Amino acid sequence: MSASTDLVRYAGRWLQVFYRPGKAFADLESGQSTAEWMSVLILVMSVVLCAGIVTLPVALNAERALIETEFQSYSDLSADQHSLILREAVQFDHRQLIGLLVMPASVCFMVAAWSVVGKHCGELIFGKPLPYGKVLPITGYASLVLVPETIVKTALVLLSGSLDPPIHPGLFLDDADPETLWILFLPGVDFFGVWFLFLLGLGLARTFRGSATLAWLVLGLVWGIWIVIRRTIELLGTVYV
């Protein structure tokens, strides 16, 4: 079978992840290859990298605005010095290059981290061993959610000019007290993150022949703990920095 035929077959299965995930994971279980889930990873990484390139002007503008704000604390700088610093700040250099490379690398880290979590949570819940060779394709399929997520967030970044557009339940609670516990941690509950966990739990449950509900509960608990830890660190940073 040619590589182009394989890609067409893979693409059909990838699309099923979005509208028939149960069928997609069933097909994946019956016949998957390393080339397939690696192709998924390359696809997602490519989309994320392209999004980083497209939104780079917004990032440079944000850096320029931050530097202009900091200038208020340095009144001894001349106008020429201001211009030189701002000009260098908005130029593409090794810092931006490293930032762009980190974005697709973070996809690999996410897939690896959730594969470890999925494997050990699945073994703990269902009492069956499962090799990483089975877990990695499941996580790779679930990571396809990053494609629509990246497209949506890129559009929001370009429209709003903000590098961190909110996509969480807190958007619907405009009148709530911002100091309440729920409002403090809701920003960490990303809608696409919920979708990712739904797919990951479904894939693990099908492979382990277990309860999807139980898998979702355990994965959700792990994710919830991570959100609390991450948001606590962020909030403490805003207090002490």
Side-chain angles (χ1 to χ4, degrees), residues 55-198:
T55 58
L56 182 59
V58 179
L60 292 176
N61 287 337
E63 184 174 357
R64 180 189 180 94
L66 179 61
I67 292 175
E68 288 178 338
T69 301
E70 292 178 348
F71 277 162
Q72 299 175 4
S73 303
Y74 299 93
S75 57
D76 56 333
L77 292 177
S78 66
D80 290 339
Q81 289 174 318
H82 281 201
S83 299
L84 177 61
I85 294 173
L86 287 175
R87 185 166 58 251
E88 292 180 350
V90 297
Q91 288 180 346
F92 182 84
D93 56 22
H94 67 279
R95 295 171 302 162
Q96 285 78 28
L97 178 60
I98 293 174
L100 288 176
L101 295 178
V102 166
M103 295 176 70
S106 66
V107 175
C108 294
F109 176 77
M110 186 207 76
V111 170
W114 278 107
S115 293
V116 173
V117 171
K119 170 182 167 63
H120 292 290
C121 284
E123 291 178 347
L124 177 65
I125 298 168
F126 304 117
K128 304 174 186 176
L130 191 67
Y132 281 112
K134 290 285 188 180
V135 179
L136 282 169
I138 296 171
T139 313
Y141 261 43
S143 71
L144 282 169
V145 169
L146 287 173
V147 174
E149 176 183 6
T150 302
I151 293 173
V152 170
K153 288 188 175 181
T154 300
L156 291 175
V157 168
L158 296 177
L159 290 172
S160 67
S162 171
L163 290 174
D164 189 23
I167 307 180
H168 55 75
L171 292 172
F172 306 107
L173 300 174
D174 294 335
D175 298 330
D177 183 356
E179 298 301 323
T180 60
L181 187 62
W182 285 108
I183 301 303
L184 289 175
F185 292 103
L186 272 180
V189 186
D190 187 276
F191 290 131
F192 288 98
V194 175
W195 191 2
F196 169 81
L197 287 187
F198 168 80

